[in-house]
PDB file of all heavy atoms in Angstrom:
ATOM      1  N   ALA A 102      -7.462  18.596   9.606  1.00 90.00           N
ATOM      2  CA  ALA A 102      -6.882  19.192   8.400  1.00 90.00           C
ATOM      3  C   ALA A 102      -6.509  18.108   7.388  1.00 90.00           C
ATOM      4  O   ALA A 102      -5.919  17.085   7.731  1.00 90.00           O
ATOM      5  CB  ALA A 102      -5.646  20.005   8.766  1.00 90.00           C
ATOM      6  N   CYS A 103      -6.860  18.340   6.137  1.00 87.00           N
ATOM      7  CA  CYS A 103      -6.540  17.398   5.069  1.00 87.00           C
ATOM      8  C   CYS A 103      -5.036  17.406   4.798  1.00 87.00           C
ATOM      9  O   CYS A 103      -4.445  18.482   4.627  1.00 87.00           O
ATOM     10  CB  CYS A 103      -7.301  17.761   3.801  1.00 87.00           C
ATOM     11  SG  CYS A 103      -6.875  16.714   2.377  1.00 87.00           S
ATOM     12  N   PRO A 104      -4.390  16.237   4.731  1.00 83.00           N
ATOM     13  CA  PRO A 104      -2.945  16.205   4.477  1.00 83.00           C
ATOM     14  C   PRO A 104      -2.588  16.388   3.006  1.00 83.00           C
ATOM     15  O   PRO A 104      -1.408  16.501   2.681  1.00 83.00           O
ATOM     16  CB  PRO A 104      -2.547  14.802   4.965  1.00 83.00           C
ATOM     17  CG  PRO A 104      -3.780  13.984   4.762  1.00 83.00           C
ATOM     18  CD  PRO A 104      -4.943  14.907   5.030  1.00 83.00           C
ATOM     19  N   TYR A 105      -3.578  16.411   2.115  1.00 85.00           N
ATOM     20  CA  TYR A 105      -3.314  16.467   0.686  1.00 85.00           C
ATOM     21  C   TYR A 105      -3.706  17.782   0.029  1.00 85.00           C
ATOM     22  O   TYR A 105      -3.016  18.267  -0.862  1.00 85.00           O
ATOM     23  CB  TYR A 105      -4.040  15.317  -0.025  1.00 85.00           C
ATOM     24  CG  TYR A 105      -3.663  13.967   0.517  1.00 85.00           C
ATOM     25  CD1 TYR A 105      -4.581  13.181   1.206  1.00 85.00           C
ATOM     26  CD2 TYR A 105      -2.371  13.466   0.349  1.00 85.00           C
ATOM     27  CE1 TYR A 105      -4.235  11.940   1.707  1.00 85.00           C
ATOM     28  CE2 TYR A 105      -2.010  12.228   0.850  1.00 85.00           C
ATOM     29  CZ  TYR A 105      -2.956  11.472   1.531  1.00 85.00           C
ATOM     30  OH  TYR A 105      -2.604  10.254   2.038  1.00 85.00           O
ATOM     31  N   LEU A 106      -4.829  18.377   0.454  1.00 87.00           N
ATOM     32  CA  LEU A 106      -5.323  19.590  -0.183  1.00 87.00           C
ATOM     33  C   LEU A 106      -5.412  20.712   0.841  1.00 87.00           C
ATOM     34  O   LEU A 106      -6.202  20.618   1.790  1.00 87.00           O
ATOM     35  CB  LEU A 106      -6.694  19.341  -0.815  1.00 87.00           C
ATOM     36  CG  LEU A 106      -6.732  18.282  -1.927  1.00 87.00           C
ATOM     37  CD1 LEU A 106      -8.161  18.095  -2.421  1.00 87.00           C
ATOM     38  CD2 LEU A 106      -5.800  18.652  -3.077  1.00 87.00           C
ATOM     39  N   PRO A 107      -4.628  21.768   0.696  1.00 86.00           N
ATOM     40  CA  PRO A 107      -4.654  22.886   1.646  1.00 86.00           C
ATOM     41  C   PRO A 107      -6.049  23.505   1.741  1.00 86.00           C
ATOM     42  O   PRO A 107      -6.753  23.651   0.742  1.00 86.00           O
ATOM     43  CB  PRO A 107      -3.648  23.877   1.040  1.00 86.00           C
ATOM     44  CG  PRO A 107      -2.769  23.058   0.161  1.00 86.00           C
ATOM     45  CD  PRO A 107      -3.643  21.971  -0.379  1.00 86.00           C
ATOM     46  N   GLY A 108      -6.426  23.842   2.962  1.00 87.00           N
ATOM     47  CA  GLY A 108      -7.700  24.501   3.181  1.00 87.00           C
ATOM     48  C   GLY A 108      -8.883  23.574   3.300  1.00 87.00           C
ATOM     49  O   GLY A 108     -10.009  24.029   3.577  1.00 87.00           O
ATOM     50  N   GLU A 109      -8.677  22.281   3.107  1.00 88.00           N
ATOM     51  CA  GLU A 109      -9.769  21.318   3.211  1.00 88.00           C
ATOM     52  C   GLU A 109      -9.677  20.556   4.537  1.00 88.00           C
ATOM     53  O   GLU A 109      -8.595  20.399   5.103  1.00 88.00           O
ATOM     54  CB  GLU A 109      -9.721  20.314   2.061  1.00 88.00           C
ATOM     55  CG  GLU A 109      -9.945  20.907   0.681  1.00 88.00           C
ATOM     56  CD  GLU A 109     -11.396  21.277   0.431  1.00 88.00           C
ATOM     57  OE1 GLU A 109     -12.258  20.904   1.249  1.00 88.00           O
ATOM     58  OE2 GLU A 109     -11.663  21.939  -0.580  1.00 88.00           O
ATOM     59  N   ASP A 110     -10.830  20.115   5.031  1.00 90.00           N
ATOM     60  CA  ASP A 110     -10.890  19.246   6.198  1.00 90.00           C
ATOM     61  C   ASP A 110     -11.247  17.836   5.751  1.00 90.00           C
ATOM     62  O   ASP A 110     -11.931  17.642   4.738  1.00 90.00           O
ATOM     63  CB  ASP A 110     -11.942  19.738   7.194  1.00 90.00           C
ATOM     64  CG  ASP A 110     -11.501  20.996   7.924  1.00 90.00           C
ATOM     65  OD1 ASP A 110     -10.283  21.200   8.051  1.00 90.00           O
ATOM     66  OD2 ASP A 110     -12.373  21.774   8.351  1.00 90.00           O
ATOM     67  N   CYS A 150     -15.917  17.550  -0.037  1.00 89.00           N
ATOM     68  CA  CYS A 150     -14.870  17.178  -0.988  1.00 89.00           C
ATOM     69  C   CYS A 150     -14.962  15.697  -1.330  1.00 89.00           C
ATOM     70  O   CYS A 150     -15.201  14.867  -0.448  1.00 89.00           O
ATOM     71  CB  CYS A 150     -13.491  17.501  -0.404  1.00 89.00           C
ATOM     72  SG  CYS A 150     -12.108  17.078  -1.486  1.00 89.00           S
ATOM     73  N   ARG A 151     -14.759  15.376  -2.601  1.00 89.00           N
ATOM     74  CA  ARG A 151     -14.731  13.988  -3.062  1.00 89.00           C
ATOM     75  C   ARG A 151     -13.473  13.733  -3.881  1.00 89.00           C
ATOM     76  O   ARG A 151     -13.480  12.966  -4.835  1.00 89.00           O
ATOM     77  CB  ARG A 151     -15.976  13.684  -3.904  1.00 89.00           C
ATOM     78  CG  ARG A 151     -17.293  13.778  -3.152  1.00 89.00           C
ATOM     79  CD  ARG A 151     -17.430  12.672  -2.117  1.00 89.00           C
ATOM     80  NE  ARG A 151     -18.713  12.711  -1.416  1.00 89.00           N
ATOM     81  CZ  ARG A 151     -18.954  13.402  -0.319  1.00 89.00           C
ATOM     82  NH1 ARG A 151     -17.977  14.133   0.218  1.00 89.00           N
ATOM     83  NH2 ARG A 151     -20.131  13.387   0.269  1.00 89.00           N
ATOM     84  N   ALA A 152     -12.380  14.383  -3.484  1.00 91.00           N
ATOM     85  CA  ALA A 152     -11.148  14.315  -4.274  1.00 91.00           C
ATOM     86  C   ALA A 152     -10.455  12.955  -4.168  1.00 91.00           C
ATOM     87  O   ALA A 152      -9.756  12.542  -5.100  1.00 91.00           O
ATOM     88  CB  ALA A 152     -10.188  15.419  -3.848  1.00 91.00           C
ATOM     89  N   CYS A 153     -10.596  12.250  -3.056  1.00 94.00           N
ATOM     90  CA  CYS A 153      -9.933  10.959  -2.877  1.00 94.00           C
ATOM     91  C   CYS A 153     -10.644   9.885  -3.695  1.00 94.00           C
ATOM     92  O   CYS A 153     -11.830   9.626  -3.491  1.00 94.00           O
ATOM     93  CB  CYS A 153      -9.923  10.562  -1.408  1.00 94.00           C
ATOM     94  SG  CYS A 153      -8.873  11.585  -0.363  1.00 94.00           S
ATOM     95  N   VAL A 305      -5.452  11.499  -5.404  1.00 92.00           N
ATOM     96  CA  VAL A 305      -6.058  12.799  -5.168  1.00 92.00           C
ATOM     97  C   VAL A 305      -5.642  13.730  -6.302  1.00 92.00           C
ATOM     98  O   VAL A 305      -4.484  14.139  -6.385  1.00 92.00           O
ATOM     99  CB  VAL A 305      -5.632  13.393  -3.811  1.00 92.00           C
ATOM    100  CG1 VAL A 305      -6.290  14.749  -3.596  1.00 92.00           C
ATOM    101  CG2 VAL A 305      -6.000  12.446  -2.673  1.00 92.00           C
ATOM    102  N   LYS A 306      -6.572  14.039  -7.179  1.00 86.00           N
ATOM    103  CA  LYS A 306      -6.277  14.954  -8.272  1.00 86.00           C
ATOM    104  C   LYS A 306      -5.900  16.318  -7.697  1.00 86.00           C
ATOM    105  O   LYS A 306      -6.583  16.849  -6.832  1.00 86.00           O
ATOM    106  CB  LYS A 306      -7.495  15.091  -9.190  1.00 86.00           C
ATOM    107  CG  LYS A 306      -7.214  15.900 -10.441  1.00 86.00           C
ATOM    108  CD  LYS A 306      -8.420  15.920 -11.370  1.00 86.00           C
ATOM    109  CE  LYS A 306      -8.120  16.677 -12.656  1.00 86.00           C
ATOM    110  NZ  LYS A 306      -9.290  16.679 -13.578  1.00 86.00           N
ATOM    111  N   GLY A 307      -4.800  16.854  -8.169  1.00 80.00           N
ATOM    112  CA  GLY A 307      -4.332  18.135  -7.662  1.00 80.00           C
ATOM    113  C   GLY A 307      -3.285  18.014  -6.582  1.00 80.00           C
ATOM    114  O   GLY A 307      -2.736  19.018  -6.140  1.00 80.00           O
ATOM    115  N   SER A 308      -2.991  16.782  -6.145  1.00 82.00           N
ATOM    116  CA  SER A 308      -1.949  16.555  -5.146  1.00 82.00           C
ATOM    117  C   SER A 308      -0.721  15.962  -5.838  1.00 82.00           C
ATOM    118  O   SER A 308      -0.758  14.800  -6.260  1.00 82.00           O
ATOM    119  CB  SER A 308      -2.440  15.607  -4.048  1.00 82.00           C
ATOM    120  OG  SER A 308      -1.394  15.290  -3.144  1.00 82.00           O
ATOM    121  N   PRO A 309       0.375  16.715  -5.990  1.00 84.00           N
ATOM    122  CA  PRO A 309       1.547  16.221  -6.716  1.00 84.00           C
ATOM    123  C   PRO A 309       2.091  14.902  -6.171  1.00 84.00           C
ATOM    124  O   PRO A 309       2.589  14.072  -6.946  1.00 84.00           O
ATOM    125  CB  PRO A 309       2.569  17.353  -6.557  1.00 84.00           C
ATOM    126  CG  PRO A 309       1.739  18.573  -6.343  1.00 84.00           C
ATOM    127  CD  PRO A 309       0.554  18.116  -5.545  1.00 84.00           C
TER     128      PRO A 309
END
Side-chain angles (χ1 to χ4, degrees):
C103 176
Y105 303 113
L106 298 178
E109 295 286 350
D110 287 334
C150 180
R151 296 292 182 271
C153 292
V305 180
K306 187 176 183 179
S308 175

